[in-house]
């Protein structure tokens, strides 16, 4: 059984204080843990569940519902490539194929060097600039295979 | 009331109901999945589509889900509508896109709601061409098997387990068409009512692992109406067997007791019947001290000698044996030499319980009624462990607050999710005082942890606060007084308050306090209810039959007034300290034991007569509400074994005291004549000669197969079914099966188109989820209130020093179920418990082996810290792993 | 065509946020002062109703009417529940929709001011912004704006000495489109799985934590200060037809100049398209989704359609979020449909059968069609799904939303779809067909 860091616990307690039922912070607790650890391991989830006062199963029910909670280790940079309609119309498929082949991974996988995890994501709200993706928290728009190569090179 | 039209027929219906429930009650075949009579409506599966018309002019109508549609006056609905039928067909086709179609190897086959609904909805051709998704299964412990690929995502499991039973370790995981119903990792379900998943799940995801171990189809089982014998509540069960092997326990619907659900002890505790070590023929201890088998007729002669040489015979009855078995023993040994087989503390508490029950006969809550009570005070009982099914009902009682909120916002009571959402964390109040933390504490307001005497005092004080003519308790501290006032105030404000108490602490004062509180409360509120629990399946029956406890029998041997003990389905070591029992057995010339299990007493007996367990006998049990219920023999054992009462009659005959009664009916008549307190038990079930349309009632369903082949190794001709001399049931599929059958004789639930237990029963109910047509089985022996009872004096017997209190566990504390392999696997390790302060005072730390003498019986167990225990109080495990004979509470000197 | 800038009047070309000082210099928080000073708590709602503001989250329900469903406790204060809530739906995940992001990033105080007034109007004491998880920049900006508003006394206890108090919190979602459905959103805010709730009861009766709650879209709420400041008549006069006010319009896909612009409601579809430069690369319009992924297609025949709720409704579609997704004449319709249905299948919450199991089937059929693996009968099966995944048949509006474009696709482009089924498909045995399945 691992313990969460003080910073994590404090952040979770803060979120708990914002709702009339502290259990409502279940989702935030997962996000806090993920922010600090990159992903949510079984042990970290159990520890977070204890802080919030819910059972691990309850937390798992929530964690596995939402796609932005990672229950498996991810690379240093998570690439989320928009696969929704506007990006689809503006060249998503080409960008997708290029990303997959240049990284040598499929959706849901992480490069062997642990640098990138590639995930599909639905509409990023960047539709006027598609194709679009996020790497970490940064949006990259108007993607082309060439742009993708330049962008990936920026990440360690 | 409302008048609605379904398929052109007009019905007067309850307008607080939804259309699905009403349509099912009226006998329509309308398929459904997510709805359940106890879980109500959520509208998830979309299976129950019907056409609804706004008014007479409306000829288009629109599709609605029947389960989410109120029965408003003037409503016009069509089930028999092509568009609705198309929707229902399509819903099945969708559900089946990922279903593995593995019916041939699925344990649900033949009683599968999904199979039924597929046929009913008419999905016959598969058009989906994609691959099926698959899941990994989880190991869910010894009770339940998991096969997730069969899941149709109806959400019933989580709605039952989480929303109804308050279990926290089963959830819907994942999303879209990749939802998964399971735990966060492998492991046994934590909730005590997990077994109901087997019946709640409409397909083969959750199945009974104990059945799976020796599986056969529902239609191949011989069943009998059973009464659970693992606590005092008397839940109705339907045990199933084949060729003399008990296969499983299913729920048998009883509208006032268990209705659709059992606890896991009841469902998985019957495995003791199949144990190899059961005595299966008469045994006599030889000169070398070894038990040797004897033929039946030889045994008769042996027993004749025993009784001829006996110098005083005493009988030890049993609170886990039927009235018939006990009465027959009483006849054998004579009323004056008969004892009720209970430990003194248990007996005293049971007698007090009996008196409380008699004095409040018109206020006794049934389990079903418990669910409608809106404020509860529990005195002393750790109900989840001692009367588990009650805990499930109490969990429903707290939801009355949700229903209240819902009603205020015009949300119908069947709108399950909305009721929950608006109710949130506002519960109807439950107060509880127990010796340590309980598994109900999550819904209890400020749980109190007190010693038995203090619990009784609290009860007396509440009674006094409610009615100042009730005796007063001296010197309550200010905090306690404030609590007492708050409890009294809340109970007084409730529409239907409930007092719960029981015998598990062995303290009559607690029962008296509960009786006082009930009386005080009832003076102001007619609706006041009392619920009393006792230790075993027939504890109340025994308290009614005989007040003398086991001490009397042991003393008789000790003081030489008797040298022969006859023990009926009881283990002396469970009732008295080992040293004393050892000495008595040593001193007695003969110890004759009639039992079905290899108990410690059987191990020491001189003569053992294999008497039938519930599976091999008929009998009557009196449950905690004074309801006499009959259970019926499940199968005829392939062994020289017979009912306890038949043995006792045979013994009486060789002892020269031949009984006048012959069969079961006769015996029951004699009981009533001899013990008028049991008047009425003859009506608990029809007599042996009762027939419907000239027919008996079948134990097996019509599709029972292989009958001509089952014994082909012995004889290729079809065997003539055995004739039941004791009941109107048949050992075959022949006979009358249907709505006009007396409910007490319905061995299994089945009706055309509805093969699953929980759905098929609908056709036997006056309305879905209501009472059985013809009345719920059993006769309440205390129907008329006793003479207006006085308040009991507020007297308690307090212990000043260290006190040992019992700690019960649902799996292990009840001796019969503890012998079932599945239950044994879930039994906790025995340990002594004290709080940290006490551990310090004793100079021990958690995990240390700790030796303690209780009642003169010494055991060493690891010590565990339980912060909830009061000071100087030691929690002692009851029943588990050979720790028996400790009857508590008592003062100890650690 | 000229834009009519109301909601976007302060938004800078580079979208850098307007912080509180600039916001106040540009007339910000005047409306709040007016509302608190000149209107009683029950008087703002009728004003909004009078202005005819309709919800900008997609369904177009009149906002003032929705507010009027909230129980009032002014004359029975002891019955007041522990909390009354306003929740702003900032979950913007409808494919092709990017309008709320702009106004939250560019002018966060407009939303906050709107929320304070709206809370005052419905009697809420606590308000949440439910923000989609990927909008991390919005989060930073909104949080800073909330802190600024607190400092200035526009939030917290006794706002501007009016006796009215409000706590305002930001909740970051963890993904899933269904969170945008207002009742699923409430489940998500409660820390549960975002499974929608059946209505009735509506959130006004039993919402967040079972308490009275109103859910409104970001853009809806941003209209509120302008109405309070300029009056209902002014607001009504902005619209060209029945619906008052302006609307953010967007265009993405095959337009020459994709982006966002603000026009009066009732503007012609053709004019909007023209504003965004028409179809790029000189191609022709084949069709468009007028307001996000769940709105049925419009075709070149519909360019005269007035873009307001009734206007778009009259031609069989919905205004939705008014962010249109445009595709040119070289776009195979099957790909568009497959992409949309993949999204809806993926984003089903998994609660009700038709949506959970029907949508993946629809997606697979489209994948097969695209791959030349269609079978006779597939088009009819798609028709059947359109029919049985329609409104009222599923638990919430998610699946009916998914069926919007599919139904229109089957209507307008039926021949194109049918032609995808190979001529020899009926000769394939069922097993061959199954083996040929690319999935
Ligand atoms: C599947 C689904 C997704 C939705 N997503 C959003 C959304 O992302 N943002 C939004 O404002 N409304 C969304 N809505 C509409 C909301 O349910 C709700 O109608 C709206 O938030 C109400 O606000 P309004 O009245 O201000 O429009 C969605 C509805 C459905 C059925
Ligand atoms: S496991 Fe059974 S009960 Fe649970 S959702 Fe699946 S089919 Fe329904
Ligand atoms: S469709 Fe890709 S950002 Fe919207």
């Amino acid at each position: 059984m691992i313990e969460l860091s003080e910073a994590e616990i404090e952040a979770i307690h803060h979120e708990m204080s914002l709702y009339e039922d502290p259990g409502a912070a279940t989702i935030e607790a997962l996000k806090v843990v993920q922010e600090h650890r990159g992903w949510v391991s079984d042990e970290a989830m159990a520890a977070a569940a204890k802080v919030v006062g819910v059972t691990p199963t309850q937390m798992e029910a929530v964690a596995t519902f939402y796609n932005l909670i990672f229950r498996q280790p991810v690379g240093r940079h998570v690439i989320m490539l928009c696969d929704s309609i506007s990006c689809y119309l503006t060249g998503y498929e080409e960008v997708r194929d290029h990303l997959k082949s240049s990284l040598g991974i499929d959706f849901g996988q992480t490069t062997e060097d642990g640098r990138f995890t590639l995930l599909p994501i639905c509409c990023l709200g960047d539709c006027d600039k598609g194709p679009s993706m996020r790497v970490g928290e940064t949006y990259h728009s108007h993607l082309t295979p060439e742009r993708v190569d330049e962008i990936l090179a920026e990440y360690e | 009331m409302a008048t609605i039209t379904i398929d052109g027929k007009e019905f007067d219906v309850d307008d607080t109901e939804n259309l699905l429930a009403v349509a099912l009650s009226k006998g329509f075949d309308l398929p459904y999945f997510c709805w359940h009579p106890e879980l109500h409506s959520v509208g998830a599966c979309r299976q129950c589509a019907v056409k609804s018309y706004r008014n007479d002019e409306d000829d288009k109508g629109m599709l609605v889900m029947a389960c989410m549609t109120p029965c408003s006056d003037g409503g016009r609905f069509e089930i028999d509508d092509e568009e609705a039928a198309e929707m229902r067909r399509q819903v099945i086709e969708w559900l089946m896109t990922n279903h593995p179609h593995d019916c041939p190897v699925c344990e649900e086959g033949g009683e599968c709601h999904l199979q039924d609904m597929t046929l009913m909805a008419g999905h016959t051709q598969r058009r989906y061409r994609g691959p099926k998704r698959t899941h990994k299964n989880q190991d869910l412990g010894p009770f339940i098997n998991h096969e997730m690929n069969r899941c149709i995502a109806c959400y019933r499991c989580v709605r039952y387990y989480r929303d109804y039973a308050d279990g926290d370790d089963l959830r819907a995981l994942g999303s879209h068409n990749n939802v998964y119903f399971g735990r966060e990792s492998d492991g046994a379900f934590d909730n005590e009512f997990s077994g109901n998943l087997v019946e709640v799940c409409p397909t083969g995801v959750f199945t009974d692992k104990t059945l799976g171990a020796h599986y056969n189809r529902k239609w191949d089982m011989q069943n009998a109406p059973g009464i659970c014998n693992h606590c005092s509540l008397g839940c109705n069960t339907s045990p199933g067997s084949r060729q003399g092997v008990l296969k499983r326990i299913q729920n048998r619907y009883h509208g006032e007791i268990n209705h659709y659900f059992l606890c896991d002890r009841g469902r998985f505790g019957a495995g003791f019947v199949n144990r190899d070590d059961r005595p299966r023929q008469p045994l006599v201890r030889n000169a070398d001290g070894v038990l040797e088998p004897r033929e039946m007729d030889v045994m008769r002669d042996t027993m004749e000698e025993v009784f001829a040489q006996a110098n005083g015979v005493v009988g030890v009855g049993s609170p886990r044996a039927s009235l018939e078995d006990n009465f027959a023993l009483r006849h054998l040994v004579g009323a004056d030499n008969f004892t009720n087989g209970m430990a003194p503390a248990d007996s005293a508490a049971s007698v007090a319980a009996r008196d409380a029950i008699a004095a409040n006969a018109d206020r006794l809550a049934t389990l079903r009624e418990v669910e409608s009570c809106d404020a509860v005070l529990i005195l002393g009982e750790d109900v989840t462990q001692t009367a588990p099914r009650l805990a499930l009902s109490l969990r429903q009682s707290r939801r009355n607050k949700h229903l209240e909120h819902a009603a205020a916002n015009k949300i119908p009571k069947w709108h399950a999710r909305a009721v929950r959402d608006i109710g949130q964390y506002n519960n109807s109040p439950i107060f509880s005082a127990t010796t340590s933390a309980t598994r109900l504490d999550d819904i209890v307001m400020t749980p109190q942890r007190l010693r038995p005497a203090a619990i009784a005092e609290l009860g007396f004080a509440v009674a006094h606060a409610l009615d100042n003519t009730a005796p007063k308790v001296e010197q309550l501290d200010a905090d306690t007084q404030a609590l007492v006032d708050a409890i009294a105030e809340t109970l007084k404000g409730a529409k239907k308050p409930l007092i719960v108490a029981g015998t598990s602490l062995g303290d009559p004062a607690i029962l008296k306090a509960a009786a006082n509180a009930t009386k005080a409360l009832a003076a102001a509120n007619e609706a006041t209810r009392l619920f009393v629990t006792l230790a075993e399946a027939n504890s109340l029956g025994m308290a009614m039959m005989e007040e003398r406890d086991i001490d009397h029998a042991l003393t008789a041997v000790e003081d030489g007034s008797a040298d022969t003990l006859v023990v009926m389905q009881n283990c002396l070591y469970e009732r008295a300290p080992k040293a004393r029992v050892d000495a008595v057995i040593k001193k007695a010339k003969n110890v004759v034991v009639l039992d079905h299990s290899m108990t410690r007493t059987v191990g020491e007996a001189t003569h053992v007569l294999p008497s039938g367990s519930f599976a091999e006998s008929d009998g009557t049990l009196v449950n905690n509400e004074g309801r006499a219920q009959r259970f019926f023999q499940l199968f005829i054992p392939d062994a020289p074994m017979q009912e306890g009462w038949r043995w006792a009659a045979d013994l009486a005959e060789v002892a020269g005291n031949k009984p006048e009664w012959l069969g079961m009916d006769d015996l029951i008549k004699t009981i009533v004549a001899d013990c008028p307190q049991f008047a009425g038990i003859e009506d608990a079930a029809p007599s042996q000669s009762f027939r419907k349309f000239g027919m008996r009632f079948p134990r097996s369903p019509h599709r029972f197969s292989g009958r001509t082949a089952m014994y082909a190794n012995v004889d290729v001709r079809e065997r003539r079914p055995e004739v039941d001399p004791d009941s109107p049931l048949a050992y075959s599929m022949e006979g009358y099966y249907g709505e006009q059958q007396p409910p007490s004789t319905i061995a299994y639930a089945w009706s055309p188109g509805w093969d699953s237990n929980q759905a098929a029963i609908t056709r036997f109910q006056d309305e879905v989820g209501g009472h059985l047509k013809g009345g719920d089985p059993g006769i309440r022996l205390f129907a008329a209130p006793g003479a207006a009872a006085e308040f009991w004096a507020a007297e308690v017997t307090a212990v000043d020093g260290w006190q040992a209190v019992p700690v019960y566990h649902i799996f292990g504390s009840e001796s019969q179920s503890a012998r079932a392999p599945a239950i044994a696997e879930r039994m906790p390790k025995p340990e002594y418990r004290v709080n940290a302060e006490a551990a310090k005072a004793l100079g021990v730390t958690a995990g240390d082996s700790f030796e303690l003498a209780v009642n003169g019986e010494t055991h060493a167990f690891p010590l565990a810290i339980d912060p909830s225990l009061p000071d100087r109080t030691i929690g002692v495990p009851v029943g588990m792993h050979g720790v028996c004979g400790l009857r508590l509470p008592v003062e100890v000197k650690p | 065509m000229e834009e009519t800038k109301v909601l976007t009047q302060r938004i800078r070309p580079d979208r850098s946020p307007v912080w509180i000082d600039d916001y106040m210099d540009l007339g910000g928080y005047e409306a709040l002062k007016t509302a608190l000073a000149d209107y009683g708590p029950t008087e703002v709602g009728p004003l909004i109703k009078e202005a005819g503001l309709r919800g900008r989250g997609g369904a177009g329900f009149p906002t003032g009417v929705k507010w009027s469903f909230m129980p009032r406790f002014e004359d029975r204060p002891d019955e007041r529940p522990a909390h009354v809530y306003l929740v702003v739906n900032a979950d913007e995940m409808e494919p092709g929709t990017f309008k709320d992001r702009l106004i939250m990033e560019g002018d966060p105080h407009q939303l906050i001011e709107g929320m304070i007034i709206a809370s005052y109007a419905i009697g809420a004491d606590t308000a949440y912004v439910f923000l989609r998880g990927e909008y991390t920049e919005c989060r930073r900006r909104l949080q800073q704006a909330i802190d600024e508003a607190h400092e200035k006394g526009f939030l917290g206890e006794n706002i501007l000495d009016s006796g009215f108090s409000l706590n305002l919190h930001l909740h970051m979602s963890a993904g899933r489109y269904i969170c945008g459905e207002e009742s699923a959103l409430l489940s998500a805010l409660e820390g549960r799985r975002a499974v929608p709730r059946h209505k009735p009861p509506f959130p006004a009766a039993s919402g967040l934590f079972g308490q009275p709650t109103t859910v409104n879209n970001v853009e809806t709420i941003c209209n509120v200060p302008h109405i309070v400041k300029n009056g209902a008549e002014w607001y009504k006069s902005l619209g060209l037809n029945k619906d008052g006010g302006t609307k953010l319009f967007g265009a993405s896909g095959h337009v020459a100049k994709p982006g966002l612009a603000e026009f009066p409601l009732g503007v012609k579809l053709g004019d909007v398209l023209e504003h965004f430069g028409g179809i790029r690369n000189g191609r022709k319009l084949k069709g468009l989704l007028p307001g996000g992924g769940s709105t049925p297609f419009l075709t070149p025949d519909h360019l005269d359609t007035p873009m307001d709720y009734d206007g778009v409704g009259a031609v069989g579609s919905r205004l939705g979020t008014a962010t249109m997704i445009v595709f040119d004449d070289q776009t195979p319709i099957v790909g568009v449909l497959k992409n949309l249905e993949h999204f809806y299948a993926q984003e089903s919450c998994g609660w009700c059968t038709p949506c959970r199991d029907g949508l993946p089937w629809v997606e697979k059929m489209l994948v097969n069609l695209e791959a030349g693996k269609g079978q006779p009968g597939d088009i009819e099966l798609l028709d059947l799904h359109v029919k049985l995944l329609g409104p009222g048949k599923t638990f919430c509006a998610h699946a009916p939303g998914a069926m919007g474009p599919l139904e229109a696709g089957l209507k307008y482009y039926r021949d194109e779809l049918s032609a995808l089924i190979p001529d020899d498909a009926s000769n394939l045995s069922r097993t061959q067909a199954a083996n040929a399945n690319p999935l």
Side-chain angles (χ1 to χ4, degrees), chain A residues 13-32:
Chain A
H13 279 157
H14 170 70
E15 292 295 343
M16 288 165 71
S17 72
L18 302 184
Y19 302 91
E20 66 171 274
D21 167 23
T26 303
I27 299 170
E28 278 95 344
L30 287 160
K31 298 191 75 170
V32 166

Side-chain angles (χ1 to χ4, degrees), chain C residues 123-288:
Chain C
D125 58 284
T126 307
Y128 293 95
V129 180
F130 187 95
L131 185 60
R132 83 169 282 193
E134 289 88 344
Y135 282 4
T136 39
E137 190 53 37
C138 284
R139 172 200 206 165
R140 278 186 282 274
R141 296 184 186 183
L142 276 174
Q143 192 57 55
Q144 179 170 341
I146 291 169
D147 296 344
E148 287 179 348
H150 251 290
E151 257 167 47
K152 288 267 194 292
F154 297 139
L155 282 172
E157 294 298 312
N158 192 16
I159 296 167
L160 302 176
D161 264 343
S162 63
F164 171 66
S165 307
L166 181 70
N167 288 314
L168 196 160
H169 307 300
L170 205 53
H171 171 100
M172 282 299 271
S173 175
R176 291 290 170 221
Y177 169 67
I178 196 64
C179 292
E181 197 284 332
E182 60 179 5
S183 65
L185 182 150
L186 297 177
S187 303
L189 255 184
E190 289 177 3
R192 306 166 199 246
R193 295 161 63 83
V195 174
R197 303 172 180 186
H198 185 275
K199 296 174 232 175
F202 291 90
S206 174
L208 188 61
F209 302 110
Q211 320 273 21
T213 303
T214 289
V215 183
N216 274 126
N217 170 258
V218 170
E219 187 185 346
T220 314
I221 292 295
C222 287
N223 276 286
V224 169
H226 301 286
I227 298 174
V228 169
K229 204 158 147 190
N230 302 306
E233 283 312 315
W234 164 84
Y235 190 78
K236 276 196 281 194
S237 72
L238 287 175
L240 303 181
N241 296 321
K242 208 174 94 200
D243 294 319
T246 57
K247 175 82 191 74
L248 285 175
F249 285 89
S252 63
H254 297 156
V255 287
K257 291 187 284 178
L260 285 162
E262 187 173 3
F263 294 116
L265 275 167
V267 57
K268 291 268 188 304
L269 172 57
D271 292 344
V272 178
L273 263 186
E274 202 184 300
H275 175 90
F276 293 114
I279 306 301
R280 69 181 190 186
N281 301 338
R283 291 191 186 150
K284 288 207 178 60
L285 172 69
K286 175 168 181 169
L288 57 86

